[in-house]
Amino acid sequence: MSRNRLQLLFICQSATLIIAGVVTTIGLLVPSAAEQYGVQVTDMAAQFSWFTGASMVGQLFAFFIFDHISIKRMTIASLALCGGALAAIHWQADFDWLFLWLFLFGFGISLALTGAGTQITLLWQGRARQTAIVAQDAMFNGGGFLYAWLATWFLTRDMPFSSVYLVVLGIIAVVVLLAMSSDFEAGNEPQKNEEQEAPNEWNARIVLLGVSLLLFMLAKISMFIWAPQLISERFADDSAVAGDFMSSVFATAFFGSIAGTWLVSKINVRLLVYGFVGLSLASVVLLVDVTSQSQAMLLAFAYGLSVSATFNAYTAYALAQVSIPGHRNIAYLLLMSTSGSALAPLVSASVVERTGELSDALTFSAGILAVVVITLAVVEWLGIRNRRQLSTATNNA
């Protein structure tokens, strides 16, 4: 592989590493950030809805912006926007402006992620493309482990909550410099002129799986926000314990995403989705009433495994419901995933604010996951009915 292709591969993977620096540390940073700004923890948590909401806006914007601006230019511009936003969060300590910096970061990183995904499809085909896409999952989970450790290290030394964002800012600076010196056009796979745009087939199963994915992401991000705070409160009010919990979650998710890639080639992907969702529900239910630190760490491993490759498994399962998946099918799933992530900080913070109990945020997540199980059961029933109808039609033909 040429040096230019290696650089492009690193640039594409780094977009996922960069977003992990914000997403995976929310739960660890919220208490310290709330104290620094002098606001309620629930108010601070709700601010991150600006970040996740902006990601959805950015994805909608990405539908047409790449028709007019090259991937290279958009990558450099969007990452520069992300870097400026993180710098502002660190050096401009004003809560009234925080929403704007979080919005700009979310908007910028969603464009960078879209550009990275598009570049991967241009540079690689077949298994090489699948490997590059799956590696993004591993990069996110590996980044989660690294950032959780770094955030804990900074917080235990009474450093500003945004110190970990400076690490992300350093990564952004390296990626921007690499992007400026890379040729994004070299080695692109030629598009066949005779290829027609794939039709976008829709049915109740793929629509319902999109709703199911939204609910799963709502529960997942709510867990990321409130589980570390519950662990810290329950076990000696120690942020290091919360950091160990989140590090265990993402370390397991990292290896789980690699193992899940192999497993999906051996079994039906829907079984993988059912297994992940069931394990996620069980671990969240048990975590609500956990009584020892050792039990909490075991549940961290279980939950980390349950979220390791769930998005890719969900996507593969949903796209299998249509004969020829189109780009709008994929965009629908991405938007549903982002919508669930965007709602999580606001909705879960509202639950905690009304009840006054951190554990209720996890109870809320467990309830949402129970609804997810119901949606998957309905999809399975619809699939069985569809197969019977096709079988009957074939026999009558």
Side-chain angles (χ1 to χ4, degrees), residues 48-207:
F48 283 93
S49 284
W50 288 99
F51 154 63
T52 49
S55 298
M56 184 167 58
V57 174
Q59 286 174 349
L60 290 170
F61 194 69
F63 272 112
F64 60 88
I65 191 63
F66 285 98
D67 293 333
H68 307 285
I69 301 178
S70 69
I71 296 176
K72 178 175 182 176
R73 290 180 180 177
M74 183 52 64
T75 297
I76 294 172
S78 59
L79 289 180
L81 180 63
C82 291
L86 293 181
I89 291 174
H90 184 74
W91 281 294
Q92 205 263 338
D94 188 340
F95 184 76
D96 292 335
W97 286 95
L98 181 62
F99 81 95
L100 177 61
W101 312 134
L102 289 172
F103 183 91
L104 292 177
F105 178 85
F107 182 77
I109 197 60
S110 65
L111 292 175
L113 286 167
T114 303
T118 304
Q119 189 64 34
I120 286 174
T121 64
L122 292 173
L123 285 171
W124 291 279
Q125 299 292 328
R127 290 189 177 181
R129 177 188 293 177
Q130 289 183 339
T131 301
I133 292 174
V134 170
Q136 290 181 308
D137 264 347
M139 185 69 77
F140 179 85
N141 294 323
F145 172 77
L146 171 66
Y147 292 126
W149 179 82
L150 286 172
T152 303
W153 191 88
F154 288 131
L155 293 176
T156 53
R157 285 158 180 78
D158 296 323
M159 299 178 71
F161 80 94
S162 54
S163 297
V164 71
Y165 293 164
L166 296 183
V167 177
V168 183
L169 182 59
I171 295 173
I172 290 174
V174 172
V175 176
V176 168
L177 290 174
L178 283 176
M180 293 174 67
S181 62
S182 299
D183 183 358
F184 280 63
E185 300 298 326
N188 285 359
E189 292 288 339
Q191 299 296 315
K192 297 179 181 179
N193 293 329
E194 65 272 16
E195 285 184 348
Q196 300 295 320
E197 183 180 356
N200 290 274
E201 179 185 339
W202 296 98
N203 56 52
R205 300 187 303 281
I206 190 173
V207 172

Side-chain angles (χ1 to χ4, degrees), residues 63 197-200 202 324-334:
F63 272 112
E197 183 180 356
N200 290 274
W202 296 98
I324 304 177
H327 70 281
R328 290 188 178 87
N329 300 133
I330 298 172
Y332 166 70
L333 295 172
L334 287 171

